[in-house]
């Protein structure tokens, strides 16, 4: 929408008597865009959709079942489809101004039993979405990768120039690596106007499904006393979902096609994160143990899984993931190019944990300032 307003200037000494009045011309340009969004009902996707709708944009949200999208804003157009079925997305994506691809299979723990599903969704599903974007000449897209495509074992600083080998410790990160480096980047090199964003750990309010390896599961287990111990040195950025959703939208609006951006704040150890949570809730943080304890347990469970099915959270895959990994990312490029700011950990957890306690029905107050 373009609105033009002409405002007369009065009392100008330079005006010549009898000449027409001088005007200032104000032109207000409001761009309403239409975006196609996969993964629209997930944690990040929900908040991206909400922020786009709040910004006055039209959103077409893809979901496998409309019942999953009841929490989305009323003005959002919800369409049924599946990224593993390319044709199911064609009509809905045609003619949009931009595309966000966030849909993914995201679990760490049950990966060995779900390898085929992870490959079908994370790799072939991404190929379907990006090929369709290309075929329909969608002007710009944003693809959600992860900092998990980096092994995180060297302790070195990680930035967008890092060229990692494929991590094999978890099916989620293995298939996300393939989608990033064997699908998205080659298509970018062939001219696809795509921006890649790479979040770290993301937490925040969401009524979706909890599961192994997700930060919300860790926080809920902490609040209910079901998290007995955490690795002492394991390191990952932890960010509120509203900040990561904004990073996606900034990538769409000002990100350079063909570029990758690590959209994560400073890396933190799990004891650091949960000590902050303890200061807000008063609930004691779990015991911190050497990361090698998780490595040893992973070895034991890897053998045991030949004869038993371990409970969620005790699979060899997730125990291995928690053993000695440090994702020491450098977000300089994203902060500079996308104008990103990340809220303080205390502020983010205060908002999220209050919501989570309410969901759990726990009558507890969140401190306004974390107790040291």
């Amino acid at each position: 929408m373009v609105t033009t307003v002409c405002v007369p200037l009065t009392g100008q000494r330079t005006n010549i008597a009898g000449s027409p009045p001088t005007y200032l011309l104000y032109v207000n340009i409001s761009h309403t865009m239409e975006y196609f969004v996969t993964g629209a009902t997930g944690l990040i996707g929900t908040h991206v959709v909400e922020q786009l709708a709040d910004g006055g944009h039209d959103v077409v949200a893809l979901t496998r079942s409309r019942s999953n999208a009841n929490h989305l804003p009323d003005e959002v157009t919800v369409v049924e489809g599946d990224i593993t079925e390319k044709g199911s997305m064609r009509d809905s994506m045609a003619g949009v101004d931009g595309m966000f691809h966030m849909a993914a299979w995201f679990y760490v723990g049950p990966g060995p039993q779900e390898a085929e599903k992870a490959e079908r969704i994370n790799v072939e599903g991404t190929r379907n979405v990006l090929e369709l974007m290309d075929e329909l000449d969608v002007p710009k897209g944003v693809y959600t990768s992860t900092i998990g495509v980096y092994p995180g074992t060297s302790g070195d600083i990680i930035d967008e120039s890092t060229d990692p080998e494929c991590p094999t410790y978890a099916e989620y990160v293995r298939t996300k690596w393939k989608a990033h480096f064997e699908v998205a980047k080659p298509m970018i090199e062939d001219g696809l106007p795509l921006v890649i964003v790479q979040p770290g750990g993301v937490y925040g309010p969401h009524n979706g499904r909890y599961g192994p390896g997700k930060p919300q599961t860790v926080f809920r287990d902490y609040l209910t006393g079901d998290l007995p111990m955490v690795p002492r040195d394991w390191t990952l950025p932890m960010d509120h979902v509203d900040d990561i959703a904004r990073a996606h939208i900034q990538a769409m609006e000002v990100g350079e096609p063909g570029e990758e951006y690590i959209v994560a704040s400073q890396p933190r150890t799990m004891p650091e994160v949960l000590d902050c949570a303890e200061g807000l809730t008063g609930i004691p943080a779990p015991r911190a143990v050497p990361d090698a304890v998780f490595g040893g347990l992973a070895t034991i469970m890897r053998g045991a899984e030949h004869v038993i099915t371990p409970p969620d959270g005790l699979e060899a895959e997730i125990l291995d993931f928690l053993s000695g990994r440090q994702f020491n990312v450098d977000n300089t490029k994203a902060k500079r190019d996308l104008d990103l700011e990340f809220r303080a950990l205390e502020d983010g957890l205060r908002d999220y944990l209050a919501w989570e306690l309410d969901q759990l029905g726990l009558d507890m107050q969140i401190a306004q300032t974390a107790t040291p």
Side-chain angles (χ1 to χ4, degrees):
M1 177 185 296
V2 179
T3 304
T4 303
V5 180
C6 293
V7 181
L9 288 177
T10 59
Q12 299 294 319
R13 294 174 182 242
T14 55
N15 281 359
I16 300 173
S19 65
T22 303
Y23 289 87
L24 279 180
L25 182 67
Y26 290 96
V27 181
N28 178 31
I29 302 176
S30 176
H31 294 288
T32 297
M33 309 291 277
E34 184 178 26
Y35 294 111
F36 178 81
V37 181
T38 78
T41 61
L43 173 62
I44 299 175
T46 292
H47 287 259
V48 168
V49 167
E50 290 174 347
Q51 290 187 21
L52 288 171
D54 287 345
H57 299 297
D58 298 326
V59 181
V60 179
L62 183 76
T63 179
R64 284 176 295 170
S65 172
R66 290 180 185 276
S67 62
N68 295 333
N70 291 334
H71 63 288
L72 296 180
D74 292 340
E75 59 268 33
V76 170
T77 300
V78 176
V79 295
E80 289 189 343
D82 193 318
I83 65 171
T84 64
E85 299 174 9
K86 189 174 177 180
S88 71
M89 301 179 286
R90 183 176 295 276
D91 290 345
S92 304
M93 195 190 296
V96 299
D97 299 297
M99 182 281 302
F100 293 88
H101 175 40
M102 293 173 280
W105 181 89
F106 173 29
Y107 297 98
V108 180
Q113 292 75 41
E114 301 282 355
E116 182 180 344
K117 186 175 185 179
E119 185 88 17
R120 186 173 70 252
I121 295 172
N122 291 351
V123 182
E124 295 310 316
T126 295
R127 192 186 313 278
N128 287 339
V129 172
L130 299 189
E131 285 182 351
L132 199 54
M133 174 188 165
D134 187 37
E135 292 169 16
L136 296 173
D137 291 324
V138 176
K140 191 173 184 181
V142 173
Y143 165 58
T144 308
S145 180
T146 169
I147 65 170
V149 299
Y150 307 111
T153 53
S154 68
D156 294 338
I157 299 299
I158 297 167
D159 64 18
E160 293 85 353
S161 67
T162 303
D163 186 17
E165 294 184 359
C166 181
T168 58
Y169 63 85
E171 283 301 310
Y172 168 69
V173 295
R174 182 189 70 81
T175 53
K176 289 295 284 186
W177 183 95
K178 289 185 67 176
H180 185 132
F181 292 99
E182 295 183 355
V183 178
K185 288 198 72 172
M187 293 185 71
I188 286 173
E189 291 168 2
D190 287 340
L192 188 70
L194 186 70
V195 180
I196 299 177
V197 293
Q198 297 175 263
V202 183
Y203 64 85
H206 182 237
N207 288 316
R209 181 182 176 188
Y210 288 68
K214 296 186 177 183
Q216 303 100 299
T217 303
V218 173
F219 284 115
R220 178 166 284 201
D221 287 348
Y222 154 70
L223 292 173
T224 57
D226 295 323
L227 189 66
M229 62 183 181
V230 295
R232 181 180 299 152
D233 299 316
W234 186 86
T235 305
L236 184 77
M238 284 284 184
D239 294 302
H240 193 282
V241 64
D242 281 341
D243 295 338
I244 301 306
R246 178 177 177 271
H248 280 69
I249 294 171
Q250 286 293 96
M252 175 63 74
E253 293 183 347
V254 301
E256 186 68 26
E259 294 295 329
E260 303 163 66
Y261 298 100
I262 292 175
V263 292
S265 63
Q266 69 184 76
R268 301 179 186 276
T269 64
M270 288 190 74
E272 181 182 358
V273 172
L274 292 171
D275 284 349
C276 181
E278 177 180 347
L280 291 167
T281 65
I283 299 174
R287 184 163 57 104
V289 301
D291 292 27
V293 171
F294 285 84
L297 289 172
T299 300
I300 294 170
M301 292 307 300
R302 196 168 290 112
E305 285 174 1
H306 292 294
V307 293
I308 65 168
T309 299
D312 287 351
L314 289 178
E315 301 96 338
E317 187 180 68
I318 193 166
L319 292 169
D320 189 17
F321 173 56
L322 294 171
S323 175
R325 301 188 190 280
Q326 297 182 359
F327 296 91
N328 296 317
V329 296
D330 179 351
N331 62 14
T332 301
K333 178 180 176 181
K335 291 183 72 173
R336 181 192 66 228
D337 294 359
L338 304 183
D339 190 28
L340 296 187
E341 294 292 339
F342 298 94
R343 71 193 67 193
L345 178 65
E346 179 180 327
D347 294 338
L349 289 183
R350 182 184 299 108
D351 169 77
Y352 166 59
L353 294 178
W355 179 88
E356 195 69 78
L357 287 168
D358 181 67
Q359 297 299 301
L360 292 167
L362 298 177
D363 186 17
M364 300 180 64
Q365 296 296 315
I366 294 289
Q368 290 305 304
T369 303
T371 303

